């Protein structure tokens, strides 16, 4: 009895316990917190259990990423009355905010099965089994916070004219001069509403923005690590949104990109499904 | 991995998609012996398509000097170095294409240029090489310098590198005319296409954050007109038309005639394996080794045929048709010493004499009591 008590006392001392995966069950539990509305602050996650997710090389679809720059992501999740939020933290010693001609921005994404209870292939779903993906992008957050960077700001020494047809024409005609922005591609939107893109997919190569964009997010870089919160209403809004009903058991998967290491698209680190429990 | 037949390298090769030839294939012949690098083509294209934000650095059409000019910097020599040295004496290329040389985990052999590689579109302008191209020259005697201008657009390849590289299938080739287009709504800016195009004719737009490329002026083609860069060419170095595979070549199609019948126009770096559809009459004053690397086997023969054009009436006829009409010439016909061009409907769109009328005037003008002098 005394030895058991002694062992218990010793186990409470940090570092004495045998090495094990950090706290909690093998999946992710979305703890309940007070309030309503989008959850934006990292301190909302203080009571949430940590899940440490091991990031794997992407060797399924070309182009591969055999050695991803990020090795683990620490994940916590909470929900309030009407919103869910995921906190993702990982090591990245350079904050890549800028996507320019030879650089990419940092990104992280979570995926949920569109239908709770199904297990689509972990490779962004598969034909017939859809997933919803929420992708936070540092370059979109930069657009939100300081406005889109102009060519003059990206390339101070470049020759870039100040006259643009699009500034002097009615919108319908101006669109012809605006390339992808005129075609309505969300990648090219000048007026951002969110740093997170809300997408769906049925397998690699099929990623498509959802018609309704319901997610928000914010990232903070402390010099060594990213701390990113992604938040979304609990209720599914149709159009392949995942159901995050309290009490329902579903899954969550991850992907992460370090832009300065040339990671974008399929060149990513990713992690397969882990159970996600949305606390009642 | 599907196998497709690439007639320019004379064999089957690997390609990520099943081969399929379009109903008609956009093609052109550029005569490098006529280009003066006035850059009218570059600015015509820029005024038409790349005057928007983020497009400032793009030149979907550019004219670079060879051997020391490139846009982007070193695009051809860098890829040739990655591909490795290969001999080719006959019609079959026995080396590997960029698809067959793809490193493990990659779809294609290629590289992403640095930002600064795009900064100077006309770098190396007029820099000439001596024989052997060991160094740029200031002065060397005896006088054996050479340089030439290489005007380049997207080649609307039969087996595009850009299309193969995109993991999202955001690039497609139109079945009606073989024009290769990048879907501006589907692209997410991964830039695999920029990496995969061996000719570096896909450009990332840092403002819209997706990539863009030459569209072949398809709105013009749909109306039977040639592309803007072709129409603008002051030197009349360009002949736009349609190319057929070699076994279906039509003798009365200007591009088929030059490429398949007289074999005077050659593809650009066929060893990359994309089957590019812009063809070049090689520059006659450039050493054979350089031309073999750039235009493949048969470049020397092409030069010889070209230099006999004065005695080859049909060849001279087609060469005279260059720059004679803004309409796409589907068929040509020589009537004596006049050449006619016809559009798709059979309507005559060009009628050009092959020789300037020559009038000889005697030195003495008896009627006026003066002498004619040959002064300018």
């Amino acid at each position: 009895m005394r030895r058991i008590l002694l062992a218990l006392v010793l186990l409470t001392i940090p570092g004495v316990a045998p090495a094990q995966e950090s706290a909690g069950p093998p999946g992710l539990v979305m703890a309940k917190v007070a309030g309503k509305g989008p959850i934006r602050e990292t301190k909302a996650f203080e009571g949430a259990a940590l899940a440490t997710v091991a990031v794997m090389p992407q060797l399924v679809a070309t182009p591969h990423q055999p050695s991803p720059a990020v090795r683990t992501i620490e994940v916590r999740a909470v929900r309030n009355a009407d919103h869910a939020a995921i906190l993702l933290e990982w090591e990245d010693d350079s904050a890549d905010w800028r996507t320019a001609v030879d650089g990419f921005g940092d990104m992280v994404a979570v995926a949920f099965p569109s239908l709770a209870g199904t297990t689509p292939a972990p490779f962004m779903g598969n034909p017939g089994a859809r997933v919803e993906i929420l992708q936070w992008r540092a370059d979109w957050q930069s657009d939100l916070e300081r406005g889109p960077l102009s060519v003059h700001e990206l390339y101070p020494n470049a020759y870039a004219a100040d006259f643009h047809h699009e500034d002097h024409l009615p919108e319908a005609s101006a669109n012809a001069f605006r390339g992808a922005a005129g075609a309505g591609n969300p990648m090219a939107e000048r007026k951002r509403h969110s740093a997170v893109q809300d997408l769906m997919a049925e397998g690699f190569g099929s990623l498509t923005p959802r018609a309704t964009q319901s997610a928000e997010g914010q990232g903070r870089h402390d010099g060594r690590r990213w701390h990113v919160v992604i938040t979304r209403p609990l209720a599914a809004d149709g159009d392949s949104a995942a159901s995050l009903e309290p009490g329902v058991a579903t899954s969550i998967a991850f992907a992460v990109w370090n832009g300065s290491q040339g990671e974008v698209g399929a060149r990513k680190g990713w992690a397969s499904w882990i159970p996600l429990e949305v606390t009642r | 991995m599907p196998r497709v037949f690439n007639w320019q390298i004379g064999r089957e090769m690997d390609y990520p998609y099943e081969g399929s030839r379009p109903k008609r294939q956009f093609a052109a012949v550029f005569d490098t012996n006529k280009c003066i690098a006035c850059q009218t083509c570059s600015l015509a294209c820029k005024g038409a398509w790349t005057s928007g934000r983020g497009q400032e650095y793009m030149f979907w059409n550019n004219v670079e000097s060879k051997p020391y000019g490139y846009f982007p910097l070193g695009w051809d020599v860098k890829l040739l170095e990655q591909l490795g040295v290969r001999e080719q004496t006959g019609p079959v290329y026995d080396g590997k294409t960029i698809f067959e040389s793809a490193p493990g985990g990659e779809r294609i052999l290629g590289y992403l240029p640095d930002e600064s590689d795009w900064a100077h579109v006309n770098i190396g302008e007029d820099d000439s090489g001596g024989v052997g191209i060991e160094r740029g020259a200031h002065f060397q005697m005896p006088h054996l310098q050479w340089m030439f201008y290489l005007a380049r657009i997207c080649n609307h390849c039969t087996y595009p590198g850009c299309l193969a590289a995109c993991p999202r299938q955001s690039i497609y080739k139109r079945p009606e005319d073989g024009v290769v287009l990048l879907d501006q709504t589907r692209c997410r800016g991964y830039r695999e296409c920029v990496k995969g195009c061996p000719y570096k004719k896909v450009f990332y737009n840092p403002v819209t954050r997706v990539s863009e490329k030459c569209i072949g002026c398809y709105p013009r083609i749909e109306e039977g007109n040639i592309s803007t860069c072709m129409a603008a060419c002051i030197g009349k170095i360009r002949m736009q038309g349609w190319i057929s595979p070699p076994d279906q070549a039509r003798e009365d199609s200007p591009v088929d005639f030059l490429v398949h019948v007289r074999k005077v126009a050659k593809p650009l770096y066929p060893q990359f394996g994309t089957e590019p559809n812009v063809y070049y009459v090689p520059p006659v004053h450039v050493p054979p080794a350089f031309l073999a690397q750039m235009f493949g086997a048969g470049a020397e023969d092409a030069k010889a045929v070209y230099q006999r054009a004065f005695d080859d009436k049909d060849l001279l006829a087609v060469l005279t048709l260059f720059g004679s009409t803004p309409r796409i010439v589907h068929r040509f016909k020589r009537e004596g010493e006049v050449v006619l061009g016809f559009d798709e409907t059979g309507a005559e769109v060009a009628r050009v004499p092959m020789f300037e009328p020559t009038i000889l005037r005697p030195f003495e003008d008896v009627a006026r009591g003066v002498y004619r002098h040959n002064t300018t």
Side-chain angles (χ1 to χ4, degrees):
Chain A
M1 189 57 183
R2 280 177 73 224
R3 275 152 127 236
I4 292 167
L5 278 173
L6 180 62
L8 281 172
V9 167
L10 286 172
L11 278 171
T12 63
I13 300 169
V16 171
Q20 61 183 339
E21 289 277 301
S22 298
L28 184 62
V29 175
M30 193 174 271
K32 189 169 170 193
V33 298
K36 35 192 273 190
I39 299 164
R40 298 188 180 100
E41 303 290 322
T42 54
K43 64 174 162 43
F45 296 83
E46 268 158 18
L50 169 69
T52 303
V53 173
V55 170
M56 297 192 285
Q58 194 290 98
L59 300 172
V60 173
T62 49
H64 295 172
Q65 174 48 301
S67 49
V70 179
R71 308 324 298 263
T72 54
I73 311 174
E74 289 175 2
V75 187
R76 290 180 171 84
V78 293
R79 73 153 189 99
N80 60 21
D82 57 5
H83 275 71
I86 320 277
L87 170 65
L88 304 120
E89 299 172 298
W90 71 95
E91 302 242 333
D92 179 345
D93 56 17
S94 67
D96 304 312
W97 293 100
R98 193 186 93 131
T99 298
V101 174
D102 71 0
F104 302 97
D106 289 332
M107 301 184 286
V108 68
V110 297
F112 308 102
S114 291
L115 272 179
T118 62
T119 310
F123 318 117
M124 293 169 57
N126 56 274
R130 196 167 288 193
V131 302
E132 180 191 12
I133 289 172
L134 305 178
Q135 185 187 54
W136 172 86
R137 306 176 58 103
D139 55 6
W140 284 27
Q141 183 168 324
S142 169
D143 290 349
L144 263 183
E145 288 175 353
R146 59 195 88 138
L149 292 171
S150 69
V151 173
H152 285 293
E153 288 165 311
L154 283 168
Y155 301 107
N157 297 315
Y159 180 78
D162 288 322
F163 176 88
H164 290 282
H165 293 287
E166 64 173 284
D167 299 335
H168 303 275
L169 290 167
E171 186 167 343
S173 331
N175 277 339
F177 294 91
R178 298 177 60 224
N185 188 332
M187 305 298 299
E189 251 162 37
R190 300 282 171 80
K191 287 200 205 64
R192 291 249 168 257
H193 303 287
S194 175
V196 176
Q197 192 175 26
D198 196 346
L199 306 128
M200 56 182 164
E202 287 189 9
F204 283 157
S206 68
L207 193 61
T208 305
R210 292 200 314 119
T212 322
Q213 294 288 302
S214 66
E216 293 178 31
Q218 184 158 35
R220 182 179 57 83
H221 193 265
D222 66 15
R224 276 189 325 108
R225 286 159 65 79
W226 274 112
H227 309 269
V228 173
V229 176
I230 295 177
T231 183
R232 200 210 83 165
L234 278 172
D237 58 12
D239 187 27
S240 308
S243 164
L244 295 174
E245 292 295 315
V248 157
T250 183
S251 324
I252 183 171
F254 307 88
V256 64
W257 296 260
N258 181 334
S260 55
Q261 300 298 309
E263 293 187 338
V264 72
R267 302 179 193 270
K268 61 188 172 188
W270 70 291
S272 185
W273 301 117
I274 61 174
L276 172 65
E277 185 197 322
V278 182
T279 310
R280 251 185 229 289
Chain B
M1 172 78 57
R3 300 280 288 176
V4 296
F5 184 73
N6 179 334
W7 68 264
Q8 293 175 2
I9 58 171
R11 65 171 176 78
E12 281 194 339
M13 61 172 208
D14 289 344
Y15 191 68
Y17 299 98
E18 296 292 335
S20 163
R21 290 190 183 272
K23 189 159 143 281
R24 288 198 293 217
Q25 173 59 54
F26 167 105
V29 174
F30 293 3
D31 186 350
T32 60
N33 297 286
K34 295 207 174 94
C35 182
I36 59 169
C38 66
Q39 306 285 358
T40 305
C41 51
S42 304
L43 271 296
C45 175
K46 179 151 274 293
W49 303 115
T50 61
S51 63
R53 290 187 157 92
Q55 298 182 309
E56 293 85 348
Y57 81 96
M58 301 182 190
F59 283 87
W60 297 356
N61 180 112
N62 78 290
V63 185
E64 57 203 55
S65 304
K66 286 310 202 193
Y68 289 124
Y70 334 76
F71 174 71
L73 194 66
W75 66 270
D76 48 359
V77 294
K78 285 184 187 177
L79 189 57
L80 287 169
E81 198 163 26
Q82 282 185 297
L83 202 54
V85 177
R86 277 289 162 193
E87 302 268 341
Q88 180 178 358
T89 45
V92 178
Y93 170 63
D94 62 0
K96 289 193 178 169
T97 64
I98 58 176
F99 308 104
E100 294 156 348
S101 315
E106 296 288 337
R107 296 162 89 103
I108 195 169
L109 181 72
Y111 77 99
L112 193 64
D114 293 337
E115 280 182 343
S116 51
D117 288 357
W118 302 99
H120 302 286
V121 60
N122 212 356
I123 198 167
E125 183 185 25
D126 292 358
D127 282 355
S128 44
V131 178
I133 331 166
E134 272 136 48
R135 307 186 265 293
H138 286 291
F139 236 96
Q140 257 176 29
M141 298 296 281
H143 175 65
L144 237 132
Q145 312 299 20
W146 62 269
M147 51 140 282
F148 69 99
Y149 300 118
L150 187 69
R152 306 200 300 115
I153 63 171
C154 164
N155 296 305
H156 296 281
C157 303
T158 303
Y159 305 117
C162 58
L163 191 156
C166 182
R168 286 178 53 69
Q169 301 175 324
S170 298
I171 298 186
Y172 62 102
K173 190 169 167 73
R174 292 178 12 138
E176 62 265 42
D177 53 20
V179 167
V180 177
L181 295 178
L182 200 162
D183 187 337
Q184 290 296 298
T185 60
R186 192 164 171 78
C187 180
R188 287 180 66 80
Y190 299 161
R191 280 167 259 169
E192 300 297 337
C193 53
V194 178
K195 223 179 257 178
C197 174
Y199 304 96
K200 293 292 174 264
K201 279 298 182 182
V202 192
F203 304 86
Y204 178 70
N205 185 325
V207 170
T208 64
R209 299 206 187 113
V210 302
S211 300
E212 303 179 2
K213 64 181 289 299
C214 161
I215 60 171
C217 284
Y218 70 84
R220 292 175 62 109
I221 295 178
E222 287 171 357
E223 303 199 331
N225 295 318
I226 60 179
S227 306
T228 293
C229 57
M230 316 275 180
C233 177
I234 293 175
K236 306 190 182 204
I237 87 161
R238 302 183 176 210
M239 166 63 76
Q240 181 173 342
W242 307 105
I243 185 134
S244 318
D247 56 338
Q248 294 160 41
R250 282 193 303 114
E251 283 216 19
D252 60 0
S253 148
V255 175
D256 278 353
F257 182 83
L258 293 168
V259 174
H260 294 312
V261 179
R262 286 293 186 269
K263 300 190 186 349
V264 75
K266 296 296 177 195
L268 182 62
Y269 293 120
Q271 62 269 45
F272 293 153
T274 63
E275 208 185 276
N277 286 303
V278 175
Y279 297 84
Y280 294 85
V281 177
V284 298
H285 59 298
V286 171
F290 189 92
L291 293 184
Q293 179 174 260
M294 183 174 272
F295 299 113
E300 285 303 295
D301 295 334
K303 276 164 59 171
V305 171
Y306 181 74
Q307 287 175 298
R308 287 196 307 264
F310 194 78
D311 299 318
D312 178 347
K313 291 286 186 283
D314 287 328
L315 176 58
L316 192 59
V318 177
L319 292 173
T320 310
L321 213 43
F322 279 45
S324 58
T325 171
R327 304 282 291 157
I328 299 175
V329 174
H330 282 245
R331 189 171 71 81
F332 78 95
K333 179 159 175 258
R334 180 173 69 85
E335 286 180 350
E337 291 183 348
V338 175
V339 60
L340 282 66
F342 303 93
D343 72 7
E344 185 173 16
T345 69
E348 183 186 302
V349 294
R351 176 178 284 264
V352 191
M354 286 156 56
F355 298 96
E356 293 257 0
T358 308
I359 300 161
L360 282 171
R361 302 183 205 230
F363 178 50
E364 184 185 0
D365 181 346
V366 173
R368 296 171 183 81
V370 294
Y371 294 92
R372 296 186 177 94
H373 297 272
N374 185 17
T375 53
T376 350

